[in-house]
Structures are given as C-alpha cells and as structure tokens.
Amino acid sequence: MPPAGRSRFQGHGGWWLSLPRLWVVVVLGAIGVMQLAATPSAIDLAYHVKAGELMVEQRAVLRVDVLAWPTAGRPWLDQNWGAQVLLYATWRVGGFPLVAASSALCTVAAWGLVAAACRRRTASLRLVAGAVLAGYLASAPAFSARPQMFSVLLFAVELHLLEVARTRPRIALAIPFLMPLWANLHGAFVVGLGLVAIEAAAAVWRRDRPGMVRFLVVGALSAIGLLANPWGARVLAYAALLPANRAVTGMVTEWAPARIRDPAGAMLLAGIGVLVLALARSRAHARVPEQLLRMALLAGLALWAVRASVWFGLALPVAICALARERAPRPVAADRGVPLASGLVLAALAVAVALALPPVRRAVAAGGPPRPELTAAPVAAAGWLAANPQPGRMFNLQPWGSYLEFRLGPRVKPAVDSRIELLPAERWRDYLAIAAGRWDAERLLDSWGVDYVVTGERRTPSLAASLAASGRWRLAFSHGDERVFVRVPQRTATTRLPAR
C-alpha cells in the first residue's frame, strides 16, 4: 500500500504521468483513434475470411483454388492460411467491426513496441513521441485490416528484440522463434529476414566478429524456421517472386512505385526527408552506418512499392532516436505538469477512442445514413444474387471479387478477385478491355463464356452503357452504383437496327 496521502499513481518523483509520458500516451491513443475511425476495405480482407471459414469447416489447409471459376481446381499456395483462420475466428465472434478493432489493436501494440525500442536509444520521451508520430504519418495509409496486420506486429517485435540485443546479445536468439509463426501468417517475413542480414552487415562494418557470427547464426536459424509451413521452401519462392510479378505491380496501386502526387507517396517522401535531416544533423557518427544501411534498404523498398512504406515507417522512429543528440535531462519538476489537466487529456482521449469503436459509432449515428462495415463491397448486388441465383459464369468488377466470394462462395464463383498473381497477364489484359467498355468487350465476354455481369455504373460507365444499349443483355438489378446484367437467351435476342 502507498503511504498515506500518496496516490498509487505517484512515485518518488511525484505525479506518475509526466508531460513527456502523456505525449507518448496521446500519440499512441491518437493512432488507435485514427485506425478505429477508418472503414476496412473488403478488397484484401473479405476473401481471407471466407478462406478461413472453408478451412475450419474442412479442417484442412486449402491447396487448390475454390473461389474463382477461371482458376478453380488449380493448385493454390495459400501462404496467408494462418492469418485467414485467425481473421475468420475474429469475424465469427464479432463480425467485421471486431476485425477492424483487432487491426487497430495490432497497430497500436506495434507502435508501442517501437516506442519501447526508441526508449532504449534515448531518455527523451518527447523525442520518442515525436519520432513515433513522424513514423506513423510516413506510413499511415499502409495500416489496415488484412493479414499484413500480423506482420506489422511481428516486425515491431523483431525491431524491439534487436534493440534489446544491443545490451543483451543473447536476446537475438529469440528472433528465429518468430519465423515459423510469420511464415504461416503473411509473406512479409522476407523483410524480417532482411533485418537480420542488415545486422550481420553492420557488425562486419563495426568489425564486431562475435556480433557478425551471432547474426549469421540467427539468420540461418530464421531461414530454417521459415520452412515450418505446409509448403516448405516453396513459400520462400512465392514471397520473393510475388513483388516481381508484372501483373501484380501493374494492377495493384499499392505495389506501384511511390509518387509525390499520391497522398501515400507524398507522406513517404516527407518521412524520407525527416530521415535525411536526422542523418545530416547527427553527431553520433558511430551509429550512422548501421542506421543508414537499414533505412536505405527499407526506403528503397518503399520507393519501389509504396505498400512497403509500412516497414520504413515502423523503423524510422528508432533511426531518429539513435541519431539524435542526447541532451541533459530536464528537472523532474519541469515535466511534472498539472495532474488535473493531464487527467482531462486522458479522459478526452478515452472518449475519442470509445466514440471511434464501431458499435458506439453506429449507435451515435443511429437515425442517419448507415455507415457500411466495408468499402469496395457490393452488398446489395450480392444480396440479390444470393436470393436470385444466376446460372453460368460471372464477370465482375475486380475490386468487388473479394466480397462476392465472401457472400456467395464457393457455390458462386466470380471471374476475378484480389489474387492478381493467379491469372496470366493476357487474362488481365482482356479484363481491362472489358471493364473499359472497349469496342470488342462483348466479343471478349463471349470468349469467356460469361452469362451475367456484376459491375458499377460509375466505375465502368462505358461497359454499363454498352451492355444497357445491347439487345443481348438486360439490366436485372440496379441499386446505387451496383448493376447486374444478365445475358438474354439467344432465341429471344433482338437485333437493334441502326437509326436512319
């Protein structure tokens, strides 16, 4: 029990929640609020939940595709299978709102670990708070509810272990234990392996022979640990070759290079600017090579594919704190703050977090227009198709494929989904031509054997207009932007004569 008159929130230095600590709490809380406030996208989430459901029902890992008709029955290396089972279990308990809250929790936990890693580099909590905020802002668009959220957490764990290993070298031997888990959750384990290789290279630079040997051993054990998955070494090849797939880099915007005109690219370039400034002003010359080596690799990955900005952002705060000049600690009294004011700030933060929670947000917005649980989700069209099953093959808008698989699969299979790498490049060229409503779109639909089309009028205006004007298709369902066109049987098709 604390002495009489002393709160359990007070230590020998007075009020526990000093102003610098408050800043760290506020930054982490603000990250949580921003993540909770974001609506998850179905594009890289919904089909993972469906795959997890199928694996739980079958009690087996999916090894052939059962979701899309062009690839049905073909081998499928489902490297995210562990994340899919976890996402399905979370969805089963609380739906997509709980999935979104779990993603926010993973994100905040990751940044908390980054803050703890920074704390081992500097005593200034102000610097830690500012560095964490800079790292998050440099990579904020990359955080979302999908299998990558587990990689975010594991990457942060590895960063923290590497910082602890600076003073307790044997801690680095814990890193290989992360790899079997990582290899069954998400393909970013390649970046985790790269961090170990960078540490080995930095040890060579420092002429630290024991450190070099230690990280070579850690790297070898980590590579062995990655083999503990249903596909063995094939997972390594899959993760390495996926980013080099031209269809993936051409179709998926987040696999494209960073561009200053895009918000994500502009934020990343601003973060790189902060890093350059920290390197230029650093007086810790002995730390520059190792930080430059790590951050140059991560910055290069992020510039090559903006999706990788998440790894650069998570590592940026540690680099900033490692390169910063250490200043004399401020007097305790100067950072004590006003307990009442600090308490009010914490209360306001707690209210903001509560209001950002999906159930609370829905209750507050009751009476207004309903907010969707997911973006890129053709809810109405999927509901109509569930009530009115259509025979034959579907053609669909690619971003909607994931949700259609979630709602209708595997009985109903869309033509295309988020797994860009499964289809050959020529199939994607045909898809883009059809979606653009090119002059030969109907001929391509015929060659695909398509019987009905699920698309958006605003997203594919030329295609929707072409099908609506054609006597070979009829509009069977319309709601908002969502359209379902059904092929008219040949015997009743009419020929539209040109106007005279």
Side-chain angles (χ1 to χ4, degrees), residues 435-497:
R438 205 172 68 182
W439 64 271
D440 58 344
E442 288 194 59
R443 180 182 64 80
L444 291 172
L445 288 172
D446 292 343
S447 68
W448 282 29
V450 170
D451 297 284
Y452 60 103
V453 175
V454 182
T455 191
E457 185 174 42
R458 289 191 295 271
R459 294 170 181 260
T460 58
S462 297
L463 175 63
S466 174
L467 295 179
S470 171
R472 303 176 60 203
W473 300 85
R474 67 178 178 86
L475 180 62
F477 176 79
S478 173
H479 180 274
D481 182 43
E482 303 170 29
R483 300 287 186 272
V484 179
F485 292 92
V486 177
R487 186 184 290 274
V488 176
Q490 190 65 31
R491 63 178 180 276
T492 61
T494 60
T495 302
R496 301 178 69 90
L497 298 176

Side-chain angles (χ1 to χ4, degrees), residues 191-204:
V191 183
L193 202 59
L195 283 184
V196 176
I198 290 171
E199 291 298 318
V204 172

Side-chain angles (χ1 to χ4, degrees), residues 61-79 230-231 234 238 417 419-424:
V61 175
L62 295 176
R63 294 182 179 272
V64 297
D65 185 28
V66 295
L67 297 177
W69 63 259
T71 51
R74 297 182 185 175
W76 176 30
L77 199 157
D78 186 16
Q79 194 267 320
W231 295 274
R234 291 172 58 200
Y238 170 81
D417 58 21
R419 300 167 300 164
I420 309 297
E421 71 279 4
L422 294 189
L423 291 177

Side-chain angles (χ1 to χ4, degrees), residues 121 163 287-296 318-319 322-323:
R121 290 282 188 171
E163 287 304 307
R287 302 175 186 174
V288 169
E290 63 180 42
Q291 294 302 324
L292 184 60
L293 196 60
R294 174 191 290 177
M295 299 309 298
V318 178
L323 296 170

Side-chain angles (χ1 to χ4, degrees), residues 23-322:
W23 290 359
V24 174
V25 171
V26 168
V27 167
L28 293 176
I31 291 173
V33 171
M34 286 186 280
Q35 292 301 124
L36 286 170
T39 302
S41 171
I43 294 175
D44 201 16
L45 174 62
Y47 87 89
H48 288 296
V49 175
K50 171 56 70 172
E53 177 186 5
L54 295 175
M55 284 186 283
V56 170
E57 290 178 353
Q58 300 172 12
R59 297 185 179 182
V61 175
L62 295 176
R63 294 182 179 272
V64 297
D65 185 28
V66 295
L67 297 177
W69 63 259
T71 51
R74 297 182 185 175
W76 176 30
L77 199 157
D78 186 16
Q79 194 267 320
N80 300 305
W81 75 273
Q84 291 165 351
V85 171
L86 292 176
L87 287 170
Y88 169 67
T90 306
W91 175 84
R92 183 73 180 270
V93 172
F96 286 111
L98 184 58
V99 173
S102 300
S103 174
L105 183 61
C106 281
T107 302
V108 173
W111 285 109
L113 286 166
V114 170
C118 291
R119 191 69 175 85
R120 303 187 72 87
R121 290 282 188 171
T122 179
S124 173
L125 288 174
R126 285 184 174 82
L127 178 59
V128 171
V132 167
L133 182 59
Y136 177 73
L137 292 178
S139 55
F143 293 93
S144 60
R146 52 180 172 175
Q148 182 173 279
M149 70 191 205
F150 299 110
S151 272
V152 165
L153 186 57
L154 290 169
F155 183 87
V157 171
E158 183 177 0
L159 272 180
H160 186 258
L161 289 174
L162 289 173
E163 287 304 307
V164 175
R166 291 176 56 248
T167 54
R168 298 167 58 191
R170 292 184 180 180
I171 289 294
L173 295 174
I175 293 174
F177 292 98
L178 299 177
M179 296 303 167
L181 179 63
W182 209 336
N184 292 283
L185 291 173
H186 188 252
F189 60 79
V190 174
V191 183
L193 202 59
L195 283 184
V196 176
I198 290 171
E199 291 298 318
V204 172
W205 181 279
R206 296 191 304 266
R207 297 183 181 180
D208 176 10
R209 183 180 177 84
M212 179 194 67
V213 173
R214 181 168 58 253
F215 281 108
L216 287 176
V217 170
V218 169
L221 293 176
S222 297
I224 293 172
L226 292 173
L227 300 178
N229 68 82
W231 295 274
R234 291 172 58 200
V235 162
L236 303 178
Y238 170 81
L241 294 176
L242 180 64
N245 187 307
R246 291 188 176 182
V248 172
T249 57
M251 289 284 298
V252 184
T253 55
E254 64 178 2
W255 281 107
R259 297 181 177 88
I260 195 168
R261 294 182 180 180
D262 299 328
M267 295 165 75
L268 169 64
L269 293 172
I272 292 176
V274 171
L275 173 65
V276 171
L277 183 62
L279 287 166
R281 298 186 59 185
S282 177
R283 292 186 179 178
H285 302 297
R287 302 175 186 174
V288 169
E290 63 180 42
Q291 294 302 324
L292 184 60
L293 196 60
R294 174 191 290 177
M295 299 309 298
L297 174 64
L298 296 178
L301 283 174
L303 290 171
W304 176 59
V306 72
R307 176 184 180 129
S309 63
V310 62
W311 319 122
F312 174 83
L314 286 166
L316 179 60
V318 178
I320 292 174
C321 292

